[in-house]
C-alpha cells in the first residue's frame, strides 16, 4: 500500500476516449507508445485504435522511424472528423468562426453588432452568419459536432444563460442554447467573454503552465482563472471578477453600485472619461490607445497609473493564487509598454517574494482572436471527454 | 460524437483502486451498485473486489436488504488495514496522532514545543512521540502506511521542505521527509499548517462544497483554498497567503518587509500589541480572546475592527474565486461573534451580488483538531489514489 512521494493524483488513461486524447494532444503517436503510456496490452490497444479509426477520429499518417522490423505507423487525430461553430460576442464587436476539431479556423468573420439589440436579433443574426460561413467552405450543418459561444456578461455555465448582465439588455436568463442545439443537433456551451479568452490562450500555449491568470483590460476589467489546468468558474460562474475589487478609497461610484472599484478607476471607459474631461477626444479604450500611440502625455500617464492600480489588485491575486503566469489582454493591452510597466512595478513590489519567484507577466499572444478560439476550445474539450467519445463510439457501433 | 450539455468532465472509475474509492467514500456499497456506477461487467467487479478483500482493504460487513433471492453482501472499507501518523506542528504548540485509514484518531497527544528549537530537536521529539503513541495502542511501526506533517511556514510541497520560513529557525530546506520515510518505510507528505487545516475541515464536511476557503486567524493570518474539490497550492506552494495582502494605506511595517499588510494590522500579534500599548495584559491571540470573553471594550472593538479588515481582503477573494463557503479558524476565531460580524459586514457589502448568492461564512467545526486530521487526510488521499492502490495490489499479488 506504499507509494513514492511524487506520484501524480490523476487516474491513468485506459479507455478508447483516453487513447484518443493521448493522440490528440501528441502525448503518444504510435500503438507502441500508447501501450507504454497506458500499460494496456498490445491487443487491447490495437482493438481500441481500430474502433477509433473506424469512427474516423484517428488516421494512420505514415511510418515512424523503426528500431528494426516493419516501421510502426504513426497515428494522427483527424481534426476534420467534424466542425465546431464558435462565436465571441462583444458589446459592439463580434467575431464568428467555423473551426475544425483542433480549433483551427476554416472560415471566420467579424461584425459590428450591438449586443443591446437583444437576443432575438443577435442570435438570429448569429445563425445566419454560421450558415453563411458553412456555405462559404461548402460544408454541411450536419457536420457540426459542437458550438461554443462567449457573451460579455456573467453566465451561469451549467444552464448556459446570462445572469443580470449589466450591458446586455434583454438577455437575462434567455435560453441561448436551445436555438442552436435543436438546429444543429450538437451540444452548445456558453460562457462569459473573459473565460473563453483564457481558454483560447491556454489552448495555444506551449508549454502550458497549469496556474495562469488571464486579465482583460478593455472598457471594463475582468479575469479568467486556469488553476491546475482547469478553468475555475466558482459556485455561481462569477469567479474572476476583479473589476469590482476595491482599489482605492476614492469615492468614484461604479456602475455596480459600490465605489472605488478597480474598473471604475482603471477601465478603458474610466480613462477615456477622464481624458475627455480634459478636452481630449476619447470615447473608449481604442481612443485611449490611439492617444498613447501618438505620444500624448496625459493619456500615457493615465494608462501607466491604471496599470499601477490593476497591479495592486493583481498583487493580492498573486499572493492568493501563486500563478506561474499573468497574461494581459483586451483593447487597452495594445498600449502594452505603459500598462505592463505599471502592473509589473506594483506586483513585484507588493506580492510576496516566494509567490513571484517564477511569475511572468506578459501580453496576450492571440490579441482579439483569443475569444473565438477559446469558444471553439470549450466546445472541443466538452465533446472530447473520454466518456463522450466512448458513448459516441458505442452509439456508432 | 455528440453529448449532452451537463456531462461531467471526470473519467469514470473502472479499476480496483477506483472501486476501493467508491466503497471508501460510500458512493457504492454492494457489487451490484459498483456495477451500476462503473458500467463494468458483473464478473469483472467480482474479480476486482476479491483482490481488494484478499489485500484486506475491503471487508464484507453483512447483508443488504434484498429485492428477492439471496441478499447481496454489503461491502465496507477496512479502515484498520493500516495506520497513519499525523502531526500538526505549531509555533509553540503541537498536536500528534496515530489514525486509522479514515483519519479517525486512535491515540492523540498535544505538547508545548518551540518550533525554533530547530529540526533536529523537534523531529527527534516527534519520532519519540509517534513511537510512544504506537506503543500506547500496542500497534507496530510496520503497520504505518503513510505520514502527514504540517509546519507553520511556507512549504515546497513537491519536495517536502520549508522554504525561508519566517518563524522556523534552522528549518530552511531541511529534508523533513527522509527521517520518517526510512524509519517507517512509508510515504511522507509535508505541507503548511493552514493547508492541512483546510484539508481536515474538507475531510469531515458533509455535504462537501467544492469551492471552499479556510482562513486561519491566529498570531498571523493565512488561508487554504479548496477549489473544485482539490487543495490549490500554486506554482511554488505559496497560494493562500492573504496575510501579506495590503489592507490599508497605513504605514504599519510588517515582518515581511512591506507595509500595510493584513497580518500586521489584524493578526493576533498585532491586536495584542495594540492592547498591550494601552496598558492591558495581552501577549498573544489567546490573551486577546480572554479579554473579549471578559467583556473588555477595547479588545472587543479591536477584534471587530480586525474582522472588518479581514473582510475587506476576503471580499476581493470572494470576487476572484466565488467560493460557496468561507470558514474561519485559528485562535482568534474563538472570539467568533465579534470577528465574524466584522468579516460578514464588509464581505456582503463589498463583494458582487452574484458571488455572494450562495456564500456562507462560518467558524471552524473542528477547532484546534483540524490540522492533525488534515495531516492524516493528506497522507490517506495520497496512498488511496487508484494508481497507488493498484500498484500495491500488484506488488502484493
Amino acid at each position: 500500500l506504499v507509494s513514492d512521494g511524487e506520484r501524480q493524483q490523476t487516474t491513468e488513461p485506459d479507455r478508447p476516449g483516453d487513447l484518443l486524447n493521448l493522440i490528440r494532444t501528441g502525448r503518444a503517436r504510435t500503438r507502441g507508445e500508447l501501450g507504454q503510456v497506458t500499460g494496456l496490452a498490445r491487443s487491447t490497444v490495437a482493438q481500441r485504435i481500430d474502433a477509433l479509426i473506424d469512427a474516423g477520429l484517428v488516421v494512420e499518417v505514415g511510418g515512424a522511424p523503426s528500431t528494426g522490423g516493419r516501421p510502426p505507423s504513426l497515428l494522427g487525430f483527424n481534426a476534420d472528423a467534424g466542425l465546431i461553430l464558435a462565436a465571441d460576442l462583444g458589446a459592439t464587436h463580434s467575431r464568428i468562426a467555423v473551426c475544425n476539431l483542433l480549433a483551427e479556423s476554416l472560415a471566420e468573420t467579424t461584425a459590428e453588432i450591438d449586443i443591446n439589440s437583444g437576443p432575438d436579433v443577435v442570435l438570429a443574426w448569429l445563425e445566419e452568419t454560421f450558415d453563411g460561413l458553412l456555405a462559404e467552405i461548402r460544408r454541411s450543418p450536419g457536420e457540426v459536432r459542437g458550438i461554443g459561444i462567449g457573451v460579455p456578461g456573467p453566465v451561469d455555465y451549467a444552464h448556459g444563460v446570462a445572469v443580470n448582465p449589466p450591458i446586455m439588455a434583454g438577455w437575462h436568463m434567455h435560453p441561448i442554447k436551445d436555438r442552436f442545439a435543436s438546429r444543429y443537433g450538437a451540444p452548445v456551451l456558453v460562457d462569459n467573454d473573459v473565460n473563453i479568452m483564457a481558454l483560447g490562450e491556454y489552448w495555444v500555449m506551449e508549454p502550458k503552465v497549469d496556474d495562469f491568470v488571464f486579465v482583460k483590460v478593455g472598457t471594463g476589467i475582468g479575469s479568467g482563472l486556469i488553476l491546475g489546468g482547469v478553468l475555475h468558474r466558482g459556485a455561481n460562474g462569477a469567479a474572476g471578477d476583479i473589476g469590482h475589487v476595491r482599489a482605492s478609497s476614492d469615492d468614484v461610484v461604479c456602475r455596480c453600485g459600490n465605489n472605488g472599484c478597480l474598473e471604475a478607476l482603471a477601465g478603458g471607459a474610466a480613462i477615456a472619461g477622464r481624458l475627455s474631461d480634459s478636452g481630449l477626444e476619447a470615447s473608449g479604450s481604442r481612443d485611449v490607445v490611439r492617444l498613447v500611440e501618438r505620444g500624448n502625455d496625459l493619456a500615457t500617464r493615465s494608462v501607466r497609473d491604471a496599470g499601477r492600480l490593476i497591479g495592486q489588485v493583481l498583487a493580492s491575486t498573486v499572493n492568493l493564487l501563486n500563478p506561474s503566469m499573468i497574461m494581459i489582454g483586451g483593447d487597452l493591452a495594445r498600449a502594452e509598454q505603459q500598462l505592463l510597466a505599471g502592473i509589473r512595478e506594483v506586483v513585484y513590489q507588493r506580492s510576496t517574494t516566494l509567490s513571484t519567484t517564477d511569475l511572468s507577466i506578459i501580453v496576450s499572444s492571440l490579441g482579439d482572436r483569443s475569444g473565438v478560439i477559446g469558444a471553439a476550445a470549450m466546445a472541443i474539450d466538452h465533446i472530447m471527454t473520454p466518456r463522450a467519445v466512448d458513448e459516441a463510439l458505442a452509439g456508432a457501433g
Side-chain angles (χ1 to χ4, degrees), chain A:
Chain A
L1 205 57
V2 301
S3 65
D4 70 81
E6 311 308 328
R7 175 169 300 136
Q8 291 206 335
Q9 303 279 326
T10 52
T11 301
E12 275 304 286
D14 59 0
R15 299 176 311 155
D18 293 318
L19 298 192
L20 180 63
N21 277 298
L22 289 173
I23 296 167
R24 180 167 75 93
T25 55
R27 280 173 290 166
R29 304 220 48 198
T30 64
R31 289 175 178 80
E33 284 176 17
L34 286 166
Q36 280 162 25
V37 173
T38 61
L40 289 177
R42 178 185 286 261
S43 59
T44 312
V45 170
Q47 194 180 12
R48 290 178 181 180
I49 291 301
D50 284 349
L52 289 167
I53 290 176
D54 286 347
L57 287 165
V58 165
V59 287
E60 308 206 52
V61 291
S66 168
T67 51
R70 193 160 64 94
S73 54
L74 275 178
L75 300 171
F77 173 60
N78 180 15
D80 296 319
L83 297 174
I84 301 292
L85 304 180
D88 176 14
L89 303 178
T92 57
H93 186 82
S94 289
R95 183 177 289 268
I96 320 295
V98 175
C99 297
N100 66 13
L101 296 181
L102 286 172
E104 291 163 346
S105 185
L106 306 175
E108 189 166 324
T109 185
T110 62
E112 304 298 316
I113 182 162
D114 185 356
I115 199 84
N116 283 313
S117 313
D120 289 336
V121 172
V122 174
L123 296 180
W125 166 83
L126 182 55
E127 210 170 80
E128 261 176 55
T129 308
F130 280 149
D131 285 349
L133 290 174
L134 285 169
E136 194 182 309
I137 55 170
R138 295 162 197 244
R139 301 287 289 265
S140 111
E143 296 177 72
V144 173
R145 300 285 173 256
I147 300 155
I149 299 174
V151 298
V155 170
D156 174 343
Y157 177 74
H159 299 99
V161 293
V163 181
N164 293 316
I167 59 159
M168 297 171 65
W171 289 78
H172 175 62
M173 298 302 277
H174 183 87
I176 302 175
K177 286 183 176 183
D178 295 1
R179 173 191 292 255
F180 298 99
S182 61
R183 184 175 181 93
Y184 299 102
V188 183
L189 292 302
V190 183
D191 206 343
N192 72 60
D193 53 350
V194 193
N195 279 351
I196 61 167
M197 290 171 88
L199 286 173
E201 295 288 352
Y202 190 64
W203 183 266
V204 301
M205 190 185 291
E206 241 6 288
K208 298 201 189 302
V209 299
D210 277 351
D211 298 313
F212 151 59
V213 176
F214 180 87
V215 182
K216 180 187 177 184
V217 189
T219 305
I221 297 177
S223 76
L225 314 174
I226 304 278
L227 302 177
V230 176
L231 183 69
H232 175 74
R233 293 187 167 95
N236 307 88
D241 195 348
I242 60 169
H244 302 284
V245 166
R246 191 182 183 91
S248 160
S249 47
D250 287 7
D251 276 344
V252 183
V253 175
C254 182
R255 57 178 174 152
C256 78
N258 257 313
N259 50 24
C261 294
L262 178 63
E263 179 170 306
L265 292 154
I271 299 174
R274 284 200 299 277
L275 296 181
S276 170
D277 289 347
S278 304
L280 292 166
E281 254 184 73
S283 68
S285 314
R286 291 180 184 207
D287 295 331
V288 174
V289 172
R290 208 166 296 128
L291 286 164
V292 171
E293 282 168 351
R294 283 186 200 150
N296 180 282
D297 267 3
L298 185 60
T300 303
R301 263 184 290 132
S302 299
V303 169
R304 182 75 165 243
D305 284 344
R308 290 194 184 102
L309 275 174
I310 296 166
Q312 200 175 298
V313 172
L314 289 180
S316 308
T317 304
V318 167
N319 281 356
L320 189 68
L321 297 178
N322 185 203
S324 308
M325 184 191 287
I326 291 177
M327 187 184 281
I328 313 291
D331 282 344
L332 223 61
R334 295 183 194 179
E336 56 179 284
Q337 303 257 1
Q338 299 305 329
L339 192 69
L340 275 193
I343 291 173
R344 287 183 175 138
E345 175 187 323
V346 179
V347 168
Y348 287 108
Q349 185 212 324
R350 281 300 319 174
S351 300
T352 62
T353 318
L354 184 57
S355 66
T356 51
T357 310
D358 302 313
L359 178 68
S360 60
I361 303 177
I362 60 177
V363 290
S364 158
S365 62
L366 290 169
D368 52 13
R369 295 194 63 240
S370 56
V372 78
I373 293 172
M378 173 168 66
I380 294 169
D381 279 341
H382 180 81
I383 62 173
M384 287 292 160
T385 56
R387 199 183 193 183
V389 171
D390 292 355
E391 285 183 13
L393 290 179

